[in-house]
């Protein structure tokens, strides 16, 4: 199988280790969808994507929107008080929380909507769980004058009210999904069905670096700007590369974005941080890489947490953006090849890190992001003060403040 990396027309700048084969595989992971009509639609997206990323108009428009709309490049920040508190390595942040809409997801949503527009589509369709992807996509759709249809489980609609309001204000059409458990899995199924009924006019726009080909490739391409910027900025700021780069992993988009900048640097350790929830010895976690097996979910192969019947298991995390029983195929392969390692952090450690960062640096992180911070704090104390850790600060925690106030005793 010829990987894209061996194709002289590859202008990706993505490291070989995370490029797909012609079959859309990353090692044994990933893969293409079999349904004939959907397969044709995926083909159209893949061909269109590979063509436009070499198109000057597209590249210039993307770069203009990154600068003037998202607010890129996001800075690197040296968290001096947090580092001193841990008493070891110096901790730095890549500030994706400063992007418009407050997280990294806007990086791939702008790319996906721009791609849909170039393909002549008038509408983007997606699922959302906690509503973060839905808000970022609705934002990009409003900017580019595209229709936006977001499928969301009724249980999630109830829980994530502020995000539902944001999507409505931005002009998105919310489709409530009441079948099954009424959460993310059913929303994905419903969104794919809606897409299937309108393949000519719409494009499915996925929320992370996962799903069938070509989505992992597209999302990691648009997120790779994070790692590329971070490597240059870190060298400029410190004169060296970080000893470790760390990011939380739900589906894996913010992590693959950061890691991709450092995959050529074998001396830089890449660590993905998963939710251990209430503990790895309980059923209430979402530590897919740590405890999962090789399997399939939503049309692609990856590490997955399965129940006793071999179905994707119900999972838990305090951070709803990490609450998924599968993971992107690129991370599954990086793990097998020992090019990245995957660790886990409990809900309790996540809350401690959330409060520590808020109190020591005046940055309220997303609960998802707080997993990566908790891991950095755990390992920093055993490192020397001239060593460094770069954490992807994937998003801000405004969405989480009421929840945290309920859980944490502020008088302590
Ligand atoms: C959605 C989200 C995540 C998890 O998604 P990945 O695709 O794994 O990056 C992490 N952090 C924030 C702030 C999010 O909104």
């Amino acid at each position: 199988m010829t990987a894209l990396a061996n194709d002289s027309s590859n202008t990706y700048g993505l490291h070989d280790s995370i490029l797909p084969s012609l079959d859309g595989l990353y090692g044994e992971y990933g893969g293409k969808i079999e349904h004939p009509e959907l397969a044709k639609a995926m083909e159209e997206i893949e061909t269109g994507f590979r063509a436009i990323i070499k198109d000057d108009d597209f590249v210039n428009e993307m770069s203009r929107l990154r600068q003037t709309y998202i607010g890129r490049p996001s800075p690197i920040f040296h968290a001096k008080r947090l580092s001193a508190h841990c008493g070891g390595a110096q901790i730095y942040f890549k500030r994706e929380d400063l992007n418009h809409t407050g997280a990294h997801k806007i990086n791939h949503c702008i790319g996906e909507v721009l791609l849909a527009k170039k393909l002549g589509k008038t509408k983007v369709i997606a699922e959302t769980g906690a509503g973060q992807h839905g808000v970022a996509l609705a934002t990009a759709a409003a900017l580019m004058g595209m229709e936006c249809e977001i499928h969301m489980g009724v249980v999630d609609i109830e829980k994530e009210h502020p995000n539902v309001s944001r999507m409505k204000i931005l002009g998105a059409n919310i489709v409530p999904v009441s079948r099954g458990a009424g959460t993310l899995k059913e929303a994905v199924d419903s969104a794919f069905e809606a897409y299937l009924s309108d393949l000519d006019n719409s494009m499915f726009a996925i929320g992370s670096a996962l799903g069938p080909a070509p989505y992992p490739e597209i999302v990691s391409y648009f997120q790779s700007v994070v790692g590329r910027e971070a490597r240059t900025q870190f060298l400029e700021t410190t004169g060296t590369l970080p000893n470790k780069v760390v990011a939380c992993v739900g589906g894996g988009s913010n992590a693959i974005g950061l890691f991709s900048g450092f995959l050529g640097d074998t001396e830089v350790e890449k660590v993905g941080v998963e939710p251990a929830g209430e503990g790895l010895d309980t059923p209430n976690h979402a530590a897919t890489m740590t405890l999962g097996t090789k399997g399939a979910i939503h049309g692609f192969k990856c590490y997955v947490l399965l129940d006793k019947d071999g179905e994707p298991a119900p999972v838990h995390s305090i951070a709803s953006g990490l609450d998924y029983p599968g993971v992107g195929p690129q991370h599954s392969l990086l793990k097998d090849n020992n090019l990245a390692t995957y660790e886990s952090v409990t809900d309790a450690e996540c809350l401690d890190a959330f409060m520590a960062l808020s109190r020591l640096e005046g940055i309220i992180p997303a609960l998802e992001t707080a997993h990566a911070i908790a891991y950095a704090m755990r390992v920093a104390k055993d490192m020397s003060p001239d060593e460094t850790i770069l954490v992807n600060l994937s998003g801000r925690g405004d969405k989480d403040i009421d929840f945290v106030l309920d859980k944490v005793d502020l008088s302590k």
Side-chain angles (χ1 to χ4, degrees), residues 103-105 132 207-209 248-255 321-322 366 368-369 394-395:
H104 70 288
K105 285 193 179 76
Q132 296 298 103
S208 185
C248 63
V249 178
S253 67
N254 90 86
L322 303 182
E368 289 79 6
T369 314
S394 59

Side-chain angles (χ1 to χ4, degrees), residues 97 102-105 108 130 132-133 207-210 219 223 247-256 319-323 327 331 365-370 392-397 399-400:
D97 60 316
H104 70 288
K105 285 193 179 76
H108 63 250
Q132 296 298 103
H133 175 55
S208 185
L210 42 66
V219 171
Q223 287 296 344
C248 63
V249 178
S253 67
N254 90 86
I256 207 73
S320 35
L322 303 182
D323 200 348
V327 66
H331 287 290
L367 283 170
E368 289 79 6
T369 314
N392 198 358
L393 220 165
S394 59
R396 64 176 183 234
K399 65 186 180 58
D400 300 315

Side-chain angles (χ1 to χ4, degrees), residues 237-271:
T237 312
T238 69
T240 57
L241 291 174
N243 294 89
K244 294 179 198 288
V245 292
V246 177
C248 63
V249 178
S253 67
N254 90 86
I256 207 73
L258 180 65
F259 293 0
S260 67
F262 298 90
L263 285 169
D265 305 308
T266 47
E267 70 276 29
V268 177
E269 194 189 335
K270 293 99 194 161
V271 186

Side-chain angles (χ1 to χ4, degrees), residues 94-301:
K94 177 65 171 159
R95 298 287 310 271
E96 293 300 295
D97 60 316
L98 295 180
N99 293 339
H100 177 48
T101 67
H104 70 288
K105 285 193 179 76
I106 193 75
N107 296 326
H108 63 250
C109 286
I110 292 277
E112 287 179 316
V113 177
L114 204 49
L115 171 61
K117 196 159 188 175
K118 297 272 178 189
L119 292 175
K121 309 295 181 186
T122 55
K123 181 174 164 185
V124 284
I125 300 179
E127 81 296 343
T128 197
Q132 296 298 103
H133 175 55
V135 169
L137 194 68
T139 300
L143 171 70
M144 290 179 236
M146 296 277 275
E147 265 180 83
C148 180
E149 182 178 299
I150 302 292
H151 294 245
M152 191 168 184
V154 286
V155 172
D156 290 332
I157 289 180
E158 187 68 37
K159 259 183 17 200
E160 310 290 347
H161 222 264
N163 276 342
V164 175
S165 304
R166 281 187 193 102
M167 287 185 273
K168 286 184 179 164
I169 288 171
L170 290 162
N173 175 24
I174 315 279
V175 179
V177 181
S178 56
R179 68 179 88 162
T183 58
L184 181 63
K185 186 188 172 301
E186 292 81 18
V188 175
D189 296 337
S190 169
F192 258 104
E193 284 162 27
Y195 177 43
L196 190 56
S197 72
D198 192 18
L199 290 174
D200 284 346
N201 302 314
S202 60
M203 189 182 106
F204 191 81
I206 214 151
S208 185
L210 42 66
Y215 288 111
E217 176 186 342
I218 292 178
V219 171
S220 56
Y221 173 80
F222 288 129
Q223 287 296 344
S224 67
V225 66
V226 174
R228 208 162 39 246
E229 284 176 8
R231 190 178 187 281
T232 308
Q233 291 168 319
F234 201 87
L235 274 172
E236 273 170 14
T237 312
T238 69
T240 57
L241 291 174
N243 294 89
K244 294 179 198 288
V245 292
V246 177
C248 63
V249 178
S253 67
N254 90 86
I256 207 73
L258 180 65
F259 293 0
S260 67
F262 298 90
L263 285 169
D265 305 308
T266 47
E267 70 276 29
V268 177
E269 194 189 335
K270 293 99 194 161
V271 186
V273 185
E274 304 191 298
E278 294 170 6
L280 294 180
D281 53 354
T282 76
N284 303 323
H285 62 78
T288 313
M289 297 285 233
T290 311
L291 293 180
T293 48
K294 295 175 185 185
I297 183 171
H298 289 132
F300 70 102
K301 298 191 200 81

